[in-house]
Amino acid sequence: MLIASAALLSLSACASAPPPPPPDHKTVTVSDSFVAAETRLREAIGARDLTLFTIIDHSAGATLVGRDIGQSKLFIFGNPKGGTPLIQAAPQMGLDLPLKILIYTDEAGRTAVSYTNIKALAAQHRIEGQDARLDTIADMLRAVARETAG
């Protein structure tokens, strides 16, 4: 009985915790507010040779259907000089490019920044011979995420 109770408590604790992100996703906790992180992300994109193509406001979409998901915005950005050779190597890479960074608040109200590891995407698409380009993009994404987090 005691073992069954402990197992039930353990299962209920697991059920309430959010699942960990997939291993190909990188997440950084923001040091202050969502608004401050959004401002820093815009600045980080603007300070580089990158184009901000669009922002998808997931929060607004959820509100349209009567739901609350907290704050959540997906920034879609990139540089065709960096991405085009990857798409030439594997046309389906166009499903994953341009680059994306998500800023969101979790259930506890903490703000985080997430992005997908470009090297993992390239591996999924079996892209070879682009190591230097992928290293450059990975370094840039990591730096932008850190700057956004504050």
Side-chain angles (χ1 to χ4, degrees):
M1 182 79 145
L2 184 59
I3 293 172
S5 295
L8 185 58
L9 279 173
S10 174
L11 286 175
S12 65
C14 291
S16 64
D24 58 342
H25 289 184
K26 305 293 182 185
T27 300
V28 182
T29 302
V30 172
S31 63
D32 49 12
S33 72
F34 182 94
V35 172
E38 182 177 0
T39 299
R40 286 191 298 268
L41 179 54
R42 289 175 187 271
E43 291 169 353
I45 291 170
R48 292 167 170 82
D49 190 18
L50 301 169
T51 300
L52 177 58
F53 296 111
T54 195
I55 300 168
I56 298 172
D57 187 342
H58 291 305
S59 307
T63 299
L64 289 174
V65 295
R67 299 292 187 117
D68 179 12
I69 61 169
Q71 295 177 303
S72 179
K73 290 186 180 181
L74 180 68
F75 285 68
I76 301 176
F77 62 97
N79 180 329
K81 289 187 282 188
T84 299
L86 300 176
I87 294 172
Q88 286 176 313
Q92 299 85 0
M93 187 72 173
L95 289 168
D96 295 307
L97 292 175
L99 301 169
K100 298 162 195 75
I101 287 186
L102 178 69
I103 304 175
Y104 64 95
T105 54
D106 65 15
E107 292 175 353
R110 295 175 300 244
T111 300
V113 177
S114 291
Y115 63 96
T116 304
N117 178 346
I118 190 70
K119 291 180 180 183
L121 291 172
Q124 289 172 6
H125 292 285
R126 296 184 175 92
I127 294 175
E128 296 178 359
Q130 298 285 338
D131 292 345
R133 178 179 311 282
L134 292 168
D135 286 343
T136 299
I137 295 169
D139 290 346
M140 179 273 300
L141 276 170
R142 186 173 26 260
V144 168
R146 285 184 184 151
E147 288 172 29
T148 301

